[in-house]
Amino acid sequence: MCSTVCSLADTPKQHFTPRISFDTPQIRESYFIGHHRAALRNIEARLSDIGLVIECRDARLPLTSWNPMLENVLSNCTQRIVAYTKCDLISESPHNGNIQAALGRFHASRPGSGKPIFLRKGMQATNLLNMLRDYAANAESLTGLRIFVVGMPNVGKSSLINMLRGQGMGAGGKAKVAPTANYPGVTRKLSSPVRVLGGKTRPQDNVPGEGVFVIDTPGVFIPYVADKEVMLKLALAHGIRDGIVPYETQADYLLYKMNHWNPKLYEHFCPPTNDVMELLSAVATKTGRLSRAAPGHEHHAAAWMVSQWRSGKLGRYPLEEVNKTTIQTAIENLEDPAISLSQAKKLAKEARQEIIKARRKAHS
C-alpha cells in the first residue's frame, strides 16, 4: 500500500503545452455599416474647421485599432493626439512598459503620426487638458479651438469626452455629456461641440477666445478584414456587435491567449487545457448559475468568460505584441488601400478563375 502511494506521489506532473497557433474558423469578414460610411464622409467634410484631432486607440490592440481609412482622411491633419485608452486593462502584462515605450518611439520617429498619451480608467486628465490648453493658445482663435475625437468603434471616445468635460469644467461641468454603453454603435452621428475648457465663466483656464470644444464622432470600422484573427481581436475587445462572431469562438481564442499569458488565470475552473469545451463545461458548473446538463450551457459560459475578460477579471493583457516588426507590418498594411467586402469577393473570384485557366492550359 505504502509503495503504491509513494510511487503515485513521485510521479511527475504532466507538462502542459499550449497551442502554438490558433486555427481560426470561418467568420464574418466585415462590419462596415451605414453610419460608419456616413461618419467618415462627415469627418472628412468638416476637417477644415477642426484645429486638432484626438484619435483614440484601444491599448489592448494598439495596432489593430489603427484604422487605415481614418489614417487616410487624417493624413493632412498636422495637429493630432493619439490617445491609447483602457491602459488599465493591460496592467498585468510584464511588457506593459515596453509597449508604451515602443509606441512612444514610433510616434517620435514618424512625422504626422501624432503625440501619444496613455489613459486608464479613473485617471486624472490633467496632462491631456494641459496639452489642449497649449494647442488652444497657439491657435489664437476667437471662436475657440474645435477638436474631433475619432477612432474605431468602442475604443472609448465618448468616455474620454465625459472625462474631459467633468475634469476640465470642474463643478460647473455636467459629468456625462456623451452617451456611453458597454457595446459599440451608441454614437451614430457627429455631436454638437462640447466645451471642456475656458469660456467667459472660467478665465482661470487661460484659454483664449470662447474656449476648447470637443466633438464626438461615430466609430468607424474598415470595409473588409482579410485577416480573420484581426476580426477575432476586435470582437473580443467589443469593437463589433455581439453575435457577429460566436461567443464560443471568442472564448476559444481567449483560452489560446490565456495559455500563453498565464494558464493560472483560469485555474479556479479547471487545470490547463487546450480544449475550450472542457473549460466552458467547468465554468458553467463552477459559476453555480448554469446546470452542466442544461442545453446551450457552453454558449452562456462563453459569453460570461468574454464579459469577464473585457472587464479585466480574466487577466489584464494586450491581445497583440508591439515591437519593431509588428509596427512595421501595421505600417505596410496601412499603405495598402482598404477594399470593400464585395471587392474582396471579386478579387477572390478572379484568382480562382486564373487558377482554373492555368490548370486547363497545363492539360491542353
Side-chain angles (χ1 to χ4, degrees):
M1 177 71 176
C2 179
S3 60
T4 303
V5 173
C6 291
S7 63
L8 289 173
D10 293 338
T11 302
K13 293 183 179 179
Q14 187 175 2
H15 179 69
F16 171 70
T17 303
R19 289 172 283 183
I20 59 174
S21 62
F22 185 78
D23 186 13
T24 309
Q26 190 68 30
I27 57 176
R28 185 167 160 178
E29 300 165 319
S30 178
Y31 181 62
F32 194 62
I33 50 184
H35 72 271
H36 294 168
R37 184 179 292 104
L40 194 64
R41 287 198 304 264
N42 291 333
I43 290 170
E44 187 171 16
R46 293 182 55 182
L47 199 56
S48 59
D49 300 325
I50 299 300
L52 174 68
V53 171
I54 299 177
E55 182 188 354
C56 294
R57 299 177 191 168
D58 191 328
R60 295 170 297 176
L61 51 166
L63 302 179
T64 296
S65 57
W66 186 6
N67 189 326
M69 299 191 70
L70 279 174
E71 187 68 21
N72 183 54
V73 169
L74 302 176
S75 59
N76 295 323
C77 179
T78 57
Q79 307 285 5
R80 179 168 28 159
I81 294 173
V82 177
Y84 290 96
T85 61
K86 308 183 184 184
C87 288
D88 52 303
L89 295 178
I90 62 169
S91 59
E92 293 178 14
S93 171
H95 307 296
N96 190 10
N98 295 337
I99 290 172
Q100 294 191 15
L103 291 170
R105 288 192 298 270
F106 159 71
H107 285 285
S109 65
R110 186 178 172 90
S113 64
K115 294 182 178 179
I117 188 167
F118 300 92
L119 305 175
R120 62 184 184 276
K121 187 176 181 180
M123 73 176 293
Q124 292 295 312
T126 306
N127 290 341
L128 181 53
L129 287 168
N130 287 337
M131 292 172 72
L132 301 188
R133 283 191 184 91
D134 292 340
Y135 278 109
N138 293 329
E140 296 182 347
S141 173
L142 294 177
T143 58
L145 175 67
R146 260 60 175 178
I147 301 172
F148 264 160
V149 181
V150 305
M152 295 274 277
N154 209 27
V155 291
K157 298 180 294 296
S158 300
S159 297
L160 175 60
I161 288 175
N162 289 331
M163 180 176 68
L164 290 173
R165 171 70 176 188
Q167 296 184 28
M169 299 302 289
K174 185 180 177 182
K176 190 170 183 178
V177 291
T180 59
N182 62 349
Y183 54 86
V186 175
T187 305
R188 293 297 183 107
K189 59 182 180 180
L190 272 62
S191 74
S192 300
V194 175
R195 182 185 280 115
V196 296
L197 281 173
K200 295 179 180 178
T201 61
R202 293 187 61 83
Q204 69 271 28
D205 286 342
N206 295 319
V207 175
E210 293 295 319
V212 175
F213 299 84
V214 293
I215 300 170
D216 198 6
T217 65
V220 177
F221 205 73
I222 48 182
Y224 172 68
V225 182
D227 187 340
K228 292 181 176 60
E229 189 170 352
V230 168
M231 198 68 169
L232 262 177
K233 292 177 187 177
L234 291 166
L236 193 53
H238 219 174
I240 62 177
R241 191 176 66 248
D242 283 333
I244 291 178
V245 176
Y247 279 126
E248 293 88 342
T249 303
Q250 294 184 55
D252 193 17
Y253 185 67
L254 178 58
L255 173 61
Y256 163 72
K257 285 293 187 179
M258 287 193 295
N259 281 337
H260 286 274
W261 298 333
N262 181 5
K264 290 184 178 181
L265 289 169
Y266 59 89
E267 65 180 354
H268 172 69
F269 302 106
C270 71
T273 180
N274 287 316
D275 184 350
V276 70
M277 289 304 171
E278 178 184 349
L279 175 57
L280 293 179
S281 292
V283 167
T285 302
K286 293 193 176 182
T287 53
R289 301 180 306 164
L290 302 166
S291 168
R292 188 184 184 92
H297 74 270
E298 295 94 348
H299 174 81
H300 297 293
W304 182 85
M305 271 187 62
V306 169
S307 175
Q308 291 291 294
W309 180 79
R310 287 172 178 169
S311 61
K313 297 175 183 176
L314 266 181
R316 295 171 177 256
Y317 293 82
L319 290 173
E320 57 194 12
E321 295 183 13
V322 180
N323 51 48
K324 285 184 178 180
T325 302
T326 56
I327 289 175
Q328 184 58 39
T329 300
I331 293 172
E332 291 170 359
N333 291 337
L334 285 174
E335 293 171 351
D336 290 333
I339 61 174
S340 66
L341 181 59
S342 59
Q343 288 172 324
K345 289 180 178 178
K346 182 179 179 181
L347 291 173
K349 182 179 179 180
E350 290 174 352
R352 289 194 299 270
Q353 289 174 342
E354 289 298 323
I355 292 173
I356 293 172
K357 287 180 181 178
R359 287 175 179 172
R360 287 175 178 172
K361 187 176 181 179
H363 289 89
S364 61

